[in-house]
Amino acid sequence: MNNCGKISTFGNEAGFSLYGDKTVGTDLTYEEFVSKLKRAVGEKMGEGARVIVSSTEKINCPHQKSMVVKWPGKNTSVAISLEACYEEFQSGASLDDIAGQAATLYKRQDASGNTDLSFYSDYQRVRDMLVCRLVNYEINQRLLEDVPHIRFFDLAIVYYCELDWADFQSSGILVRNSHLSLWKITPEQLHAAALKNTRARHPVQFLSLPQLMEKMSKCGVLLPEMETQLTPEAGTDSEIVPIPEFQPASEKAPLYILSNENQCFGAICICFPDVWRAVSGQIGGDFYALPSSLHECIILPESICKEGEEGRLHEMVKEINENAVLPEEVLGDSVYRYYAKEQELRMVA
């Protein structure tokens, strides 16, 4: 729900689809499309550029194919998702238009020159760039075999090295087991450093329902059948409330969103016990947490659902994931409840 509706994604660069929702048929299979696109991009890039198609294993996309362009003497390139390109093609974009977009992106990246990646072998230089992110455990189970992680119910905390100088906010290098050996550190040291940086780099933010509704309605994300359920009453305020400087909660705004200030990979905030207590203090007791995407969690006071009837919240999360969240941004369908008296978060559906 972080992004405004369904979007096409070229590697790390995301933007609205240029081709709307047209449904134009095609007689090209996926493999045929990839072959033709590779050739078309190569023609547009000219001499010296080498187009490479390979399989990549990314969060929520275990078997994704991507395309990169290599130049002599250059050590970095943008990876474009071929699945996303094929979806654009099936929706009516011409192969030539897609190849043109890809070539433009590659040429822009080429102009930026080389990137010095030698820093990554030095833990002292990497340490302050490490952060935590939250992902679905089952979807990424195979990938997690090669990735240091901590289980969090049916989810997993993983670690990234955020590239401050990168072009895209979501850029980063997924930390793997081999990196711990390279840096000569333990998983505990990794977690401690990443946790500290996450809290410092990405302060927690708690938004009221009116702010959430405003963002969602502008982007067209809210499902029509849910509008009557979530429409705020007149007169509710739309302030953004940062933790821990909470303001008194409005009784007319029973739905909140928990994320970080930049609304990017903010679902990790639900893993912090001090945040549980702060949210509970703001709401006034127990609450439910619904993981709406990798980027945020929806927070509801316990009064919105009778204990034992959490299944309907589970169905709501599932519907949102199926209709308004990109597959690569899905976190999970589960529902969690915070019990203020015990100061404990539990999975309840």
Side-chain angles (χ1 to χ4, degrees):
M1 291 171 64
N2 179 58
N3 293 304
C4 298
K6 297 290 187 179
I7 60 175
S8 59
T9 303
F10 279 170
N12 285 327
E13 178 164 281
F16 288 104
S17 168
L18 301 178
Y19 310 104
D21 293 319
K22 292 183 290 184
T23 55
V24 177
T26 173
D27 57 357
L28 289 183
T29 66
Y30 173 70
E31 295 298 334
E32 291 171 337
F33 169 80
V34 169
S35 177
K36 289 181 178 293
L37 181 65
K38 178 181 177 181
R39 184 164 57 251
V41 170
E43 292 172 354
K44 292 180 182 295
M45 295 305 301
E47 293 184 11
R50 185 163 58 99
V51 182
I52 300 172
V53 171
S54 62
S55 295
T56 56
E57 197 165 24
K58 299 169 62 177
I59 295 297
N60 284 10
C61 304
H63 305 295
Q64 188 177 67
K65 277 192 174 182
S66 61
M67 180 171 61
V68 299
V69 171
K70 298 286 187 180
W71 293 270
K74 299 293 176 69
N75 65 355
T76 60
S77 180
V78 174
I80 291 179
S81 166
L82 291 171
E83 281 80 0
C85 292
Y86 190 56
E87 287 179 7
E88 292 287 357
F89 180 63
Q90 291 182 310
S91 296
S94 72
L95 190 146
D96 189 65
D97 283 342
I98 296 172
Q101 285 189 80
T104 298
L105 180 59
Y106 285 133
K107 289 176 181 177
R108 191 174 74 206
Q109 181 71 12
D110 179 41
S112 67
N114 280 334
T115 300
D116 181 9
L117 297 177
S118 62
F119 76 95
Y120 201 67
S121 62
D122 184 350
Y123 178 65
Q124 297 305 316
R125 297 174 65 185
V126 170
R127 181 177 55 193
D128 292 340
M129 303 167 70
L130 299 170
V131 295
C132 304
R133 294 180 183 176
L134 194 61
V135 302
N136 184 279
Y137 179 83
E138 183 176 357
I139 294 174
N140 299 288
Q141 192 166 3
R142 177 177 169 182
L143 177 61
L144 290 174
E145 293 176 0
D146 187 43
V147 172
H149 63 278
I150 294 177
R151 285 292 300 270
F152 184 81
F153 299 107
D154 57 335
L155 309 174
I157 299 173
V158 298
Y159 308 94
Y160 274 79
C161 175
E162 280 190 339
L163 307 180
D164 298 328
W165 37 261
D167 291 337
F168 312 112
Q169 184 182 49
S170 61
S171 294
I173 302 173
L174 178 63
V175 176
R176 297 178 181 268
N177 294 328
S178 58
H179 298 147
L180 299 189
S181 299
L182 176 67
W183 298 330
K184 296 181 173 57
I185 63 170
T186 65
E188 291 75 19
Q189 288 174 301
L190 170 67
H191 180 76
L195 180 60
K196 178 182 177 181
N197 296 335
T198 301
R199 301 302 297 268
R201 283 170 165 258
H202 306 295
V204 177
Q205 197 167 70
F206 194 61
L207 284 72
S208 63
L209 170 62
Q211 178 69 23
L212 172 64
M213 289 293 297
E214 181 180 351
K215 291 169 65 95
M216 293 175 69
S217 60
K218 284 182 178 179
C219 297
V221 173
L222 195 60
L223 304 178
E225 60 269 24
M226 293 175 60
E227 288 182 355
T228 55
Q229 300 175 31
L230 302 183
T231 300
E233 298 179 36
T236 54
D237 87 270
S238 59
E239 63 181 337
I240 297 177
V241 187
I243 292 177
E245 299 176 4
F246 282 117
Q247 302 297 322
S250 168
E251 294 180 358
K252 295 182 179 180
L255 188 152
Y256 303 84
I257 184 169
L258 177 65
S259 186
N260 53 30
E261 286 187 350
N262 60 15
Q263 304 279 290
C264 191
F265 298 106
I268 187 65
C269 297
I270 198 59
C271 298
F272 308 145
D274 65 307
V275 173
W276 305 344
R277 294 189 291 271
V279 170
S280 177
Q282 166 72 349
I283 289 179
D286 295 5
F287 63 84
Y288 290 101
L290 284 58
S292 56
S293 79
L294 298 179
H295 303 294
E296 69 274 308
C297 290
I298 291 175
I299 303 297
L300 302 167
E302 56 86 21
S303 59
I304 206 163
C305 179
K306 293 181 180 179
E307 192 165 7
E309 297 182 1
E310 293 89 356
R312 64 187 182 90
L313 296 180
H314 169 78
E315 290 303 316
M316 186 179 82
V317 179
K318 186 176 180 181
E319 185 177 12
I320 292 174
N321 283 334
E322 291 176 350
N323 293 280
V325 182
L326 292 168
E328 58 266 32
E329 296 187 350
V330 169
L331 182 56
D333 300 334
S334 298
V335 176
Y336 311 89
R337 176 168 175 160
Y338 178 71
Y339 294 85
K341 184 178 180 180
E342 295 84 359
Q343 296 190 17
E344 182 179 355
L345 188 73
R346 304 172 190 167
M347 189 169 72
V348 293

